[in-house]
Amino acid sequence: MAISLSINGEVKEVDADPQTPLLWVLRDYLGMTGTKFGCGIAQCGACTVHIDGAAVRSCQYPLESAAGSEITTIEGLSPDSTHPLQKYWVEMNVPQCGYCQSGMLMAAAALLQEIPEPTDEDIEQYVNNICRCGTYTRVRAAIHKAAADMKA
Amino acid sequence: MNEIAKVTRRKFLVSSLALGGAMVVGTQALAATVDGAPWDKANAAGSAEFTPWLTINPDGTVIVRATAVDIGNGTLTQLAAYVYEELSPVWENIKPEYASTNRDFLENNVYSTPGGALAYFSGRSTGPARMDTYMQVAASARERFKAAAAARWSVPAGEVTVKDGVVSHAGSGNSAQLGELIAEAAQIQLEQEPAIKDRSEWTFLGKKAPFKVQLPKIVNGSLIYGIDVREPGMVYAALRQSPVMGGKLKSVDKDAVMSMPGVLAVVTVDPGENVPTDLKPPFPFGVSTAQHAVAVIAEHYWQARTALDALPIEWDDGPGAQWKTTEQMNEAATAAIQQPGDKVEASTGDVEAMFAEAGEDNIIEADYLTPYCEQAPLEPLNGTALVTEDRVDFWHPSQHSQMAYMVAADETGMPPEKVFFHQTFVGGGFGRRVFSDDARMVVAVAKKFPGRPVQVIWSREEATRQGRYRPLMAGKLKASLGADGLPTALLGRMAGGPGFFAVGMADTALPNILKNTQIESQTVPFHILTGPYRGPGYNSNAFFVETFVDECAIKAGIDPMEYRLKLYAQWPDIGWVKTLEEVKAKSGWGETLPKGQGRGVAVANWGMGGKPDEGTTVATVAKVEVSQDGVLKILQLDVAFDTGRIVNEDAVRTELEGGTMFGLNMSLNEGLNIKDGRIVEGNFDEYPIIRMADLPPQINVHFGGLSDNPRFFEIGEPPTGVVGPAVGNAIFQATGKRIRTMPFRLHDLSWS
Amino acid sequence: MLSITARGISVKILRIVAIIVVVGLVVFAGLAWWLNRTPSSPFDGEVVATAATFPVEETSYVARLADCVACHSLPGQAPFAGGLAMGSPVGIIYATNITPDETTGIGNYTLAEFDNAVRRGVAKDGHRLYPAMPYPSYAKMSDEDIRKLYDYFMFEVEPVAQPNPQSGIPFPLNQRWPLAFWNAVFAPGGVYRDNPDQSAEWNRGAYIVQGAAHCGSCHTERGLAFNEVALDESSSRYLAGAYLDGWYASNLRGNQRAGLGRWSEDDIIQLLKTGRNQHAGVFGSMLEAFNNSTQFFTDEDLRAVAVYLKSLPATGEDRPYQYDEATSLAFANNDLSAPGASLYLRQCANCHGVDGRGRGVLQPPLAGTPTVLEDNPASIINILLNGAGRMVVNGVPDSYRMTPFRVLLRDDQIADIATFIRSSWGNDAPPVTTAEVAAMREHTDPSSDEVIVLQMR
Ligand code: FES
Ligand code: FES
C-alpha cells in the first residue's frame, strides 16, 4: 500500500509498512541519506528532520504519522547551502567527522525559527543532540553568529 | 623519516612518465571541494599523473592521492595544504582522493611504503613523515612545470615562477595556466629532486588553515559515509553476534522469519570456516577475528531488523559466561595488582629498600580502576560488500584502508588484485575501526549472499555489546615521600585486559625522573575483546598517575600545582613545566573559591615513549562545582599543550576541544557492565554521552605551552588522559572526596 | 539482591501471608487434619487417558486463556519446565515444572489430581499450593476446559526432567498445611454459573475474565491475607484497580477518570488484540499478558470480554476528564518554567508530543490516560525508570518501545517529569516525590530491549 509524503516540497510515493520509522523510509526507500542513523531510540538526534516546521527525531516517527505533513530534511534546508547556519558551520570549521551535523543543523534551524535570538540556555534546550567528536562549543558559537546575521 | 623520504623520491622517478589518455581540455566547472565519494577514481581523460600521488587535470584540478583516512581530523585538508605550500595551485582546485589499496598492492606498495604499517591509518596521518612526502611530491611537480615552461618559452627555468595556478616568466611576459602545461611537464625528468621548503620559508602552513575540504558536503548532507553507500541492487543485513564473546551458535530457526516481508535469506557466520591466507596485513589478522553470528538479509533494512528481532536463536555461551558480574571482574583485576605482576615494564634502583628506609608515615599507596569503555562512534559499524565469482567490491568506513582491504581478501580468498576497496567517509572512529573485525564481518556475511551488494548495519545495541573495548584496568601506585614531600621511589602495577595497553605508566615522566622505580603489569584472562580507544592505555594510566600525584601533594601539604611544577622541573622536557605555567596563569589558579567549588590540575604526555621532547604534553585545569546533594557541574576547562611546533592552529584547537570532551565523557559517564558474560548496556539510554548542557560555554585552549622543539605529533589523543584526573582532583578540592574509579557518575559526591 | 520481577509476589503481601501462616499454626492446629484431606473432584476414579481426546487447537487455546506460560516458563528455556523465581523477604518461591515428566513434572497426575491442583490448589501429594497460583479464579473454569487443559499438558507438551528448586522459605513459614485454612476461607470454589439475566456473550465474558484469564489476580485489590477482596461483579471493588509488584493494575470499571469509562468496546478489543488503542498501550505485567495470552483470544471472546467489562459500573470517587490547552500553549510560547517541562521537552515530547496526545496508536497519549491519572503513581514511576519491554504482535516485534531513563535521569528529575505529566493537559493526579522514585528504583530492574517470546510448545 503506497503512502505519499511531501518532502522538501516534492511529493514522493512510498510502498512500505506504515509502521516503518520515517528515518528508514528516507534513507533506504527514498535514498535520501543526508538524514543519519545514530541510535534509533530518539536519543542522539542524528536523524532530526522538520515536520510541519518542528524538529523531530525521525527514527521514532512512524511513516503513517508523517503522511500529510510537510517534511524538510537536510537536503532541503536551503537550495544551495546558503542558510546562515550552513555558512557559519563551514566558516567556523564546526564539524569534525560531520556525522551528527545534519541533525545538529536541523535542530538549530528549528530553534532559530522558534527563538530568533536564543540564549545559551535556549540552545541547550533545543539542540540536545549527541556529538561524539565534541563539536558542542563550536555549534553553540555558530548558532549565535547565524542568529545575529538573520536578525540583521 | 629520511629513510621514507629517500624511498618516496625513488618512487616518483619510477612512475614519472605515466600519462593520462589523449589530450582533451576539460570544460566542466571546477569542483571547489573534495568529492562526496572520493575513492578509486581513474585519471580523467587528458590528465597527467606526475606520480601516483599527484595527478593534474587539463582544467587545472590537482588530484592529491591521500593514503591516510580522514575521520574528521582534517587529514585530506592538511595533505592538500602540504601540496599547496610547494606547488601553489588555486586552493579550490585541489581535490584530494583516497589512494587505491589495490593499486598499492599491484605497484609494489607505492603508497604504503612511506609510513609502513601505519600508511593507511587514520592516526599520525599528517605527521612529519607525510608532510615531507607530500611537500616533496608537490615541489618536484613545481620544478617540472618550471622546466616545461622554460622549454616552451625558451627562457631560463630559474626565472619561471608558479603562483596561484599560473606559471609565468616576468621577463618575457609569458604566462600559462597549470592545466595548459601538464603534458609537457609530466614528461620532464629532473636531474635531482628539489629540496622542500624550510619552515622559515612557509607562506601558508602554520597560519590559520582554510575550512576542511569536505565541509560544504557535510552541511547539505551529500557527503557519503559508509552507511550512505547505495549501490544498484543493494540489499540490507541486520546482524546478531554471540551475546557472550567467544560463544557459539547452537541453533537458529530460519523458517520462522523467511515469510516475513522483504526477507531474502538468513545466513550464519562461523569463524571456523575461514581459510587463512598468507597475506601480510599491517596488523596480524588475529585482531580481526569474527565472532559467531547470524544475519537476516532483506530488501530493506527495517525489514531485516524486524525479522532479526523475531528470529529464534539459541547460543552456546561458552566459558565467558563464568564472569557473572562486573564486581567479580573488578575484584579479579584488583586482586591481581596485590601480587607482583608477571611482566616488568620498568625497573631501576631498589624500591623496596627505599620504602623500608622511608618508614610507614612517609609511604602513600592507592588502588584505582577504570572499566571497559566503548568508542561509540556516532556512525554505527557498517559496510557494503559485493562478492562475485571473479571480484570483490567493498565500500567501508575504515580507519585503516589497507587492513580492511587485506581482511576482505583473506575472508573471501579472492586474490588481492581482484579485491577493490572503496574507502568512504567515516562517522567517527576513536580506534573502533582500526582492527577491521567489522570489515571481516561485513564480508563474511556478504559472501554468503553473492551477486548482490549487501549492506550490513549493526544496530546501536549490537555495536555497543560487540565492541573491541578500552580494557578494564586496575592500577596500584605506591610511593615513599622525601623530606621535601616529593616522591623518592615508586611502585606501579596495572592489571586487567585482555589485550593490554601499558602506555602511560612506565613511559611517562614520573617513573623516569625517579632513581628508584618498579613498574609491573599483569594480564587477566577475561573473555571480553579489547582494542584501541582514543589514547590506548594512556587514558587509564594518566588517570592513575595524575590522581596519585595529587594524593602525594595533599599528603605533603603542598599546593597540587606547585607540587607538579617542582616535580616535573626535574624532567628534561621543558614542555611539562611550560604547559603547567600556562594553565596556572590562564585558569585563575589560586583564586579562592566558594564552598562546594574546586580546581584540579593534571599533566601527562601521549607518545613520548619514556623520552623527553617527544609526543604531545597536555596540562588541563578543571574548575567544578558540586552541590550539597552531589550534583557535579563543570564550570571551566583550561587546556595547554606542547607538541613542539604546530602546522595548523585551528586543526590543533579542534582536536584539543574534541579530545577534552571525549576524555570528560569517558571519566564522568562511561563504563560497561557484565552480566553472565554479556555486556549489559545497549544504547545511549544506558551508555550516556555528554551533551551541550553538560559543558561550559567554551573550552579554553592555550598555545603558550609550546616549546618550539622541532617536532609535531598527534593532538587528538593527548587531551583524553588529563581531563579526567583534573576533574577528579577538583572534586576532591570541592568535597574532600577522592575519586579513584571511573565513571565518576557512580560516586556519591554529596557533602555537608 | 534478587529484585522482584513484575510477575513475582509482592513483598508486602508475602509478609502478610507469612503472618497468617504463623497464626494459623498456633490457633487452628486442630482443624488442620480435617481440612487437609484431599478434596474430591468430579473426575475421581476416571481411568487415565492414554491419548488426547480434543484437537490441539482447542486444548492449547485454554492454556492461552489461562496464560499458564507466563509463570511456568522462562525465556530461552523449555516450555512449562517452571523455574520463575518470585522474590520475597521470607524467601523465594518458584513456579513448578508442569511438563508431563513422570518424576519432576506432573506426568503421573490423574485428571482428578490435576483438577485438584488447578481448581483447588492441592498438589498430588496433598500439599497446599501457595496462592500465587490463581486457583481461586481457575476454580471457575468448566469441567470441559479442565479436561482440555489436562489434555494439553499430558499430550502436547514435551516432558522435561527439571527438578523444582526448593523454595527458600525457612521453617516454620515453609509449612504448607495451614494454607488449607486460607483455602477454606478465601477460595470458595465452584464452577462459574451463568447469570440468566445476562446475554450469552456477557456470560462468556464473565467466565473468561473471572476464570481462566484471572484478571482479578492483578486488577482486584487484595485483602490482608493476599486474598482478592472480590471474585466477581457482585462487589464494587472487583477489578477496581490494585497495586502489585511495582505496577498499578488499572481500574477496569466504568470510571471516567482512571477507568475504562471513556473507552468503547472496540477500544478494549483493540488493546487486547494489538496491544494499543487511541488511549493507551500495554506495558509492565500487562505487556506479558498481552504477548502471551490476550492477543490469541478469538474475536468472539474478545468481544465478550469487552461487553462484560463495559457492564461494570464506575466505583468510588470519580470525575470526568477534560483536555486543557494550557500546557500546549505554554510550550508554543517556549515557556518551560513549570518544573519538569524542559526535561519533558528534551526526553518525552518527541514521541508523546508537546500536546500530550501521542502520535497515532504507536506512541500513546499521556493526556487523560488512565494509568497517568491513577492516584497511585507506581506505574508512571516504574515505566519512566525502567521503560517497557518489547511488544510482539503476531510474531512481529514492535519498533516503538518506551525508553528506560534510570541511567539518564536522577530520582528528582524523574519525579519532576512524572509530576509534570500528571498535572498537564487537564491531568490532575497528585504529585510524585523523589522518595517514591528512589524506593521504586531500589526494588526494580530495567526492562530488556531484547524480544522475549515464551514458546508454548
Ligand atoms: S537515530 Fe534518531 S535520535 Fe538517534
Ligand atoms: S562531528 Fe562527529 S559526531 Fe559530531
Side-chain angles (χ1 to χ4, degrees):
Chain A
M1 168 205 54
I3 296 178
S4 81
L5 294 174
S6 165
I7 306 172
N8 303 332
E10 284 176 53
V11 174
K12 312 219 177 190
E13 294 288 315
V14 186
D15 193 352
D17 181 327
Q19 295 200 4
T20 309
L22 178 61
L23 170 65
W24 296 104
V25 173
L26 293 170
R27 290 187 51 78
D28 163 348
Y29 290 77
L30 298 175
M32 302 176 70
T33 55
T35 306
K36 305 303 186 194
F37 163 55
C39 69
I41 61 164
Q43 274 298 321
C44 75
C47 65
T48 305
V49 300
H50 295 175
I51 293 188
D52 298 329
V56 302
R57 295 179 172 187
S58 60
C59 66
Q60 282 289 304
Y61 202 103
L63 169 58
E64 64 186 24
S65 306
S69 319
E70 270 305 324
I71 302 164
T72 309
T73 68
I74 185 70
E75 291 91 347
L77 180 57
S78 73
D80 44 10
S81 303
T82 50
H83 189 292
L85 286 165
Q86 290 171 308
K87 186 163 137 261
Y88 282 109
W89 243 243
V90 172
E91 217 171 279
M92 298 170 72
N93 245 329
V94 170
Q96 287 187 39
C97 82
Y99 194 77
C100 70
Q101 301 294 344
S102 309
M104 286 280 184
L105 281 159
M106 295 310 282
L111 163 64
L112 292 184
Q113 294 203 337
E114 281 288 306
I115 309 176
E117 289 172 73
T119 63
D120 279 356
E121 292 65 34
D122 296 330
I123 295 173
E124 289 164 8
Q125 287 298 337
Y126 290 81
V127 187
N128 185 38
N129 300 25
I130 288 176
C131 173
R132 184 57 162 158
C133 297
T135 61
Y136 297 118
T137 51
R138 287 176 187 234
V139 165
R140 186 197 303 260
I143 292 174
H144 282 309
K145 279 212 177 231
D149 267 26
M150 290 166 82
K151 174 153 141 285
Chain B
M1 182 172 75
N2 297 338
E3 222 4 75
I4 290 161
K6 271 203 230 87
V7 182
T8 42
R9 290 204 184 88
R10 196 171 63 250
K11 292 277 174 214
F12 307 143
L13 295 174
V14 168
S15 46
S16 62
L17 286 175
L19 192 59
M23 193 72 166
V24 184
V25 176
T27 51
Q28 92 274 37
L30 302 186
T33 123
V34 69
D35 210 74
W39 54 74
D40 281 16
K41 304 245 183 294
N43 287 322
S47 66
E49 180 168 279
F50 285 69
T51 91
W53 301 65
L54 187 76
T55 291
I56 301 178
N57 294 344
D59 62 10
T61 312
V62 177
I63 309 295
V64 175
R65 297 263 158 63
T67 56
V69 178
D70 189 331
I71 58 171
N73 49 344
T75 305
L76 296 178
T77 312
Q78 195 58 32
L79 299 180
Y82 294 151
V83 167
Y84 181 84
E85 181 69 58
E86 289 286 357
L87 181 58
S88 188
V90 176
W91 171 256
E92 286 72 18
N93 289 3
I94 304 183
K95 205 172 167 189
E97 287 175 7
Y98 282 119
S100 161
T101 47
N102 178 284
R103 180 172 175 183
D104 179 65
F105 180 84
L106 290 175
E107 295 181 19
N108 183 29
N109 304 109
V110 58
Y111 293 121
S112 60
T113 303
L118 295 183
Y120 277 94
F121 179 40
S122 61
R124 311 195 177 180
S125 52
T126 60
R130 282 219 175 67
M131 179 174 76
D132 288 6
T133 305
Y134 281 89
M135 288 178 80
Q136 189 64 60
V137 165
S140 86
R142 182 196 62 231
E143 290 309 306
R144 286 154 73 180
F145 273 106
K146 284 162 117 183
R152 189 189 271 195
W153 305 324
S154 33
V155 299
E159 296 173 7
V160 179
T161 59
V162 183
K163 182 127 187 45
D164 299 327
V166 179
V167 187
S168 53
H169 179 255
S172 63
N174 283 310
S175 80
Q177 301 290 323
L178 280 182
E180 302 169 39
L181 286 165
I182 53 177
E184 293 129 277
Q187 311 261 19
I188 303 284
Q189 291 210 47
L190 301 171
E191 266 70 71
Q192 72 183 78
E193 291 293 328
I196 61 175
K197 281 188 188 175
D198 176 74
R199 190 178 183 92
S200 58
E201 305 165 89
W202 290 355
T203 56
F204 185 72
L205 297 174
K207 317 280 177 293
K208 190 178 186 309
F211 58 75
K212 291 197 275 295
V213 293
Q214 63 268 45
L215 297 200
K217 292 217 159 36
I218 287 174
V219 299
N220 66 15
S222 62
L223 199 75
I224 304 302
Y225 297 84
I227 203 169
D228 300 332
V229 166
R230 293 292 177 269
E231 286 295 310
M234 192 177 92
V235 297
Y236 295 83
L239 179 73
R240 172 114 347 123
Q241 299 160 77
S242 168
V244 175
M245 291 176 169
K248 291 183 168 50
L249 178 65
K250 202 190 282 172
S251 75
V252 53
D253 178 6
K254 301 183 180 185
D255 301 343
V257 300
M258 284 310 294
S259 60
M260 290 178 75
V263 173
L264 299 168
V266 176
V267 303
T268 61
V269 171
D270 177 349
E273 292 170 2
N274 174 244
V275 186
T277 59
D278 55 8
L279 293 168
K280 299 268 162 292
F283 306 117
F285 280 133
V287 300
S288 70
T289 309
Q291 294 290 298
H292 281 256
V294 177
V296 176
I297 298 174
E299 292 291 348
H300 298 288
Y301 176 67
W302 204 250
Q303 296 171 326
R305 173 83 173 267
T306 307
L308 179 70
D309 282 349
L311 183 64
I313 310 174
E314 277 189 292
W315 301 99
D316 168 359
D317 288 346
Q322 70 181 292
W323 297 106
K324 295 265 171 270
T325 65
T326 316
E327 293 66 31
Q328 187 189 1
M329 299 176 81
N330 292 347
E331 281 159 21
T334 310
I337 53 170
Q338 311 311 327
Q339 312 302 330
D342 55 13
K343 181 159 184 277
V344 174
E345 306 277 345
S347 183
T348 56
D350 186 341
V351 171
E352 287 312 321
M354 292 298 289
F355 286 171
E357 182 180 318
E360 272 314 305
D361 299 357
N362 301 314
I363 298 289
I364 176 168
E365 174 176 353
D367 291 355
Y368 306 89
L369 190 103
T370 55
Y372 288 111
C373 290
E374 152 70 8
Q375 299 85 349
L378 197 59
E379 178 188 12
L381 299 183
N382 71 87
T384 309
L386 169 58
V387 179
T388 63
E389 292 286 285
D390 54 1
R391 75 179 261 158
V392 172
D393 281 90
F394 183 22
W395 300 260
H396 186 56
S398 177
Q399 272 186 269
H400 199 307
S401 320
Q402 192 183 26
M403 183 67 186
Y405 164 74
M406 293 277 187
V407 161
D410 182 68
E411 183 62 30
T412 54
M414 188 72 68
E417 55 271 28
K418 294 183 174 174
V419 176
F420 298 86
F421 180 81
H422 316 294
Q423 174 67 49
T424 68
F425 279 97
V426 186
F430 318 114
R432 181 63 186 91
R433 310 182 205 260
V434 178
F435 282 176
S436 302
D437 57 288
D438 53 342
R440 184 177 292 277
M441 183 57 72
V442 169
V443 175
V445 168
K447 80 180 182 187
K448 296 282 181 86
F449 198 76
R452 284 180 79 175
V454 182
Q455 180 166 102
V456 185
I457 303 174
W458 278 240
S459 68
R460 172 60 58 187
E461 291 79 5
E462 184 70 10
T464 306
R465 291 174 179 144
Q466 297 291 342
R468 298 297 182 272
Y469 307 112
R470 181 277 287 276
L472 182 162
M473 275 173 70
K476 173 188 289 298
L477 286 159
K478 182 178 179 184
S480 52
L481 304 186
D484 58 0
L486 296 183
T488 55
L490 178 76
L491 169 69
R493 283 191 195 139
M494 43 199 151
F500 203 79
F501 296 90
V503 187
M505 176 80 92
D507 64 4
T508 188
L510 181 59
N512 290 287
I513 289 171
L514 303 175
K515 307 280 167 296
N516 302 276
T517 302
Q518 177 79 8
I519 309 285
E520 303 158 356
S521 71
Q522 171 101 31
T523 300
V524 185
F526 297 126
H527 67 297
I528 300 292
L529 295 163
T530 59
Y533 174 98
R534 203 167 185 169
Y538 162 84
N539 56 45
S540 287
N541 286 315
F543 170 63
F544 301 161
V545 173
E546 275 297 292
T547 308
F548 183 70
V549 167
D550 217 68
E551 299 197 50
C552 293
I554 300 303
K555 185 174 172 66
I558 303 173
D559 170 85
M561 177 69 80
E562 300 310 321
Y563 191 85
R564 285 176 175 81
L565 284 167
K566 269 180 140 170
L567 178 63
Y568 294 124
Q570 303 171 41
W571 181 240
D573 181 339
I574 61 163
W576 287 66
V577 166
K578 234 170 164 274
T579 51
L580 283 168
E581 291 287 3
E582 176 77 353
V583 283
K584 180 185 173 187
K586 300 286 171 64
S587 66
W589 186 272
E591 292 164 15
T592 49
L593 297 169
K595 195 150 170 32
Q597 291 191 4
R599 278 194 199 83
V601 60
V603 60
N605 178 296
W606 164 253
M608 62 190 277
K611 297 185 288 305
D613 301 327
E614 293 286 347
T616 300
T617 307
V618 179
T620 296
V621 168
K623 180 181 169 192
V624 309
E625 180 174 69
V626 182
S627 73
Q628 270 185 298
D629 52 6
V631 182
L632 171 71
K633 190 163 181 19
I634 311 293
L635 298 178
Q636 188 181 328
L637 290 167
D638 290 273
V639 181
F641 70 105
D642 173 41
T643 188
R645 302 165 171 178
I646 59 172
V647 294
N648 182 336
E649 182 190 321
D650 193 61
V652 164
R653 191 181 285 277
T654 308
E655 288 297 309
L656 285 161
E657 290 166 351
T660 298
M661 291 184 220
F662 195 95
L664 188 60
N665 193 65
M666 171 183 77
S667 315
L668 300 183
N669 290 332
E670 295 182 47
L672 292 159
N673 286 286
I674 285 79
K675 189 168 184 303
D676 302 326
R678 293 163 163 69
I679 298 292
V680 175
E681 287 73 13
N683 210 319
F684 296 134
D685 54 343
E686 299 167 307
Y687 196 78
I689 305 288
I690 205 163
R691 313 284 173 120
M692 204 184 293
D694 307 320
L695 288 158
Q698 70 261 336
I699 288 166
N700 310 316
V701 175
H702 309 290
F703 287 73
L706 285 164
S707 62
D708 198 40
N709 171 274
R711 75 174 196 271
F712 64 95
F713 194 72
E714 285 171 296
I715 288 293
E717 308 195 71
T720 56
V722 279
V723 61
V727 168
N729 296 338
I731 290 172
F732 177 80
Q733 295 295 337
T735 66
K737 292 188 170 179
R738 179 57 73 182
I739 308 297
R740 298 196 180 95
T741 66
M742 290 184 180
F744 299 174
R745 69 179 161 91
L746 299 182
H747 293 266
D748 170 10
L749 300 181
S750 59
W751 56 274
S752 50
Chain C
M1 131 207 154
L2 177 131
S3 73
I4 312 233
T5 73
R7 288 178 285 171
I9 291 189
S10 90
V11 176
K12 182 151 130 275
I13 286 159
L14 234 291
R15 185 179 290 114
I16 289 156
V17 175
I19 294 162
I20 297 302
V21 170
V22 178
V23 174
L25 264 169
V26 186
V27 186
F28 302 102
L31 283 170
W33 165 84
W34 182 75
L35 283 170
N36 276 277
R37 291 165 311 148
T38 302
S40 66
S41 155
F43 308 117
D44 283 334
E46 278 198 25
V47 287
V48 181
T50 54
T53 39
F54 300 91
V56 63
E57 301 71 37
E58 290 180 28
T59 59
S60 63
Y61 186 68
V62 179
R64 282 297 189 189
L65 285 176
D67 200 8
C68 312
V69 73
C71 286
H72 289 278
S73 296
L74 288 180
Q77 299 200 13
F80 302 107
L84 175 73
M86 304 176 178
S88 86
V90 294
I92 300 168
I93 302 175
Y94 295 93
T96 54
N97 179 341
I98 54 171
T99 68
D101 180 64
E102 299 274 335
T103 51
T104 63
I106 58 172
N108 54 10
Y109 271 55
T110 63
L111 173 57
E113 290 162 342
F114 178 80
D115 178 34
N116 278 334
V118 174
R119 289 196 292 193
R120 299 175 195 83
V122 179
K124 181 186 177 72
D125 65 7
H127 83 258
R128 266 52 184 173
L129 307 180
Y130 285 107
M133 165 79 173
Y135 53 83
S137 300
Y138 290 161
K140 303 199 178 197
M141 292 173 71
S142 68
D143 292 357
E144 185 186 2
D145 278 354
I146 292 296
R147 283 183 184 282
K148 287 179 175 170
L149 207 53
Y150 181 72
D151 237 29
Y152 181 76
F153 282 106
M154 290 302 141
F155 306 113
E156 310 296 348
V157 173
E158 282 301 310
V160 177
Q162 178 174 304
N164 293 313
Q166 278 305 316
S167 94
I169 300 182
F171 182 87
L173 304 182
N174 63 345
Q175 293 304 298
R176 305 289 197 106
W177 60 267
L179 287 163
F181 294 100
W182 190 95
N183 293 346
V185 184
F186 300 118
V191 173
Y192 176 80
R193 283 198 190 64
D194 278 358
N195 176 340
D197 310 338
Q198 296 284 1
S199 69
E201 196 172 44
W202 185 96
N203 277 298
R204 173 66 180 167
Y207 171 75
I208 294 171
V209 169
Q210 296 173 26
H214 60 284
C215 306
S217 304
C218 291
H219 291 273
T220 301
E221 181 192 337
R222 303 232 175 201
L224 275 178
F226 187 50
N227 57 304
E228 294 165 43
V229 295
L231 293 169
D232 62 41
E233 69 284 351
S234 60
S235 160
S236 66
R237 295 166 78 184
Y238 183 60
L239 301 181
Y243 171 85
L244 191 63
D245 314 318
W247 300 102
Y248 188 89
S250 50
N251 175 315
L252 301 183
R253 306 180 63 94
N255 295 54
Q256 284 297 314
R257 185 159 171 275
L260 302 184
R262 285 173 283 128
W263 294 30
S264 69
E265 282 176 14
D266 290 344
D267 289 336
I268 294 172
I269 292 166
Q270 190 185 0
L271 186 95
L272 296 175
K273 195 172 185 55
T274 69
R276 307 184 152 97
N277 63 23
Q278 54 165 321
H279 305 286
V282 297
F283 60 88
S285 337
M286 190 61 198
L287 179 125
E288 290 158 18
F290 166 78
N291 277 355
N292 301 312
S293 180
T294 67
Q295 68 175 301
F296 299 98
F297 289 15
T298 63
D299 293 355
E300 298 68 32
D301 282 353
L302 285 171
R303 174 70 56 186
V305 166
V307 166
Y308 175 69
L309 290 179
K310 286 301 286 181
S311 76
L312 303 176
T315 177
E317 167 264 6
D318 189 21
R319 56 184 178 282
Y321 164 79
Q322 186 54 49
Y323 185 84
D324 178 347
E325 298 286 341
T327 314
S328 322
L329 290 176
F331 278 119
N333 304 327
N334 310 305
D335 169 6
L336 303 178
S337 52
S342 89
L343 283 166
Y344 180 89
L345 181 71
R346 279 188 274 167
Q347 296 291 9
C348 319
N350 191 79
C351 300
H352 298 286
V354 289
D355 60 2
R357 291 200 154 114
R359 196 178 294 120
V361 294
L362 294 175
Q363 292 157 319
L366 301 172
T369 308
T371 35
V372 171
L373 287 165
E374 182 52 57
D375 285 353
N376 183 319
S379 290
I380 192 171
I381 295 173
N382 197 333
I383 200 168
L384 275 165
L385 273 170
N386 301 316
R390 297 286 299 275
M391 217 184 282
V392 181
V393 191
N394 311 328
V396 180
D398 167 27
S399 305
Y400 302 90
R401 165 190 178 237
M402 170 69 187
T403 310
F405 286 100
R406 65 159 51 220
V407 174
L408 291 183
L409 301 176
R410 302 186 308 266
D411 294 341
D412 58 308
Q413 295 176 307
I414 287 180
D416 282 351
I417 292 182
T419 300
F420 176 80
I421 291 170
R422 280 159 68 86
S423 58
S424 296
W425 313 290
N427 293 345
D428 59 352
V432 171
T433 68
T434 303
E436 287 171 309
V437 179
M440 182 69 77
R441 185 187 288 269
E442 257 299 296
H443 292 295
T444 54
D445 290 335
S447 64
S448 168
D449 56 70
E450 292 180 12
V451 174
I452 296 169
V453 180
L454 295 174
Q455 303 297 339
M456 285 258 296
R457 308 181 66 191

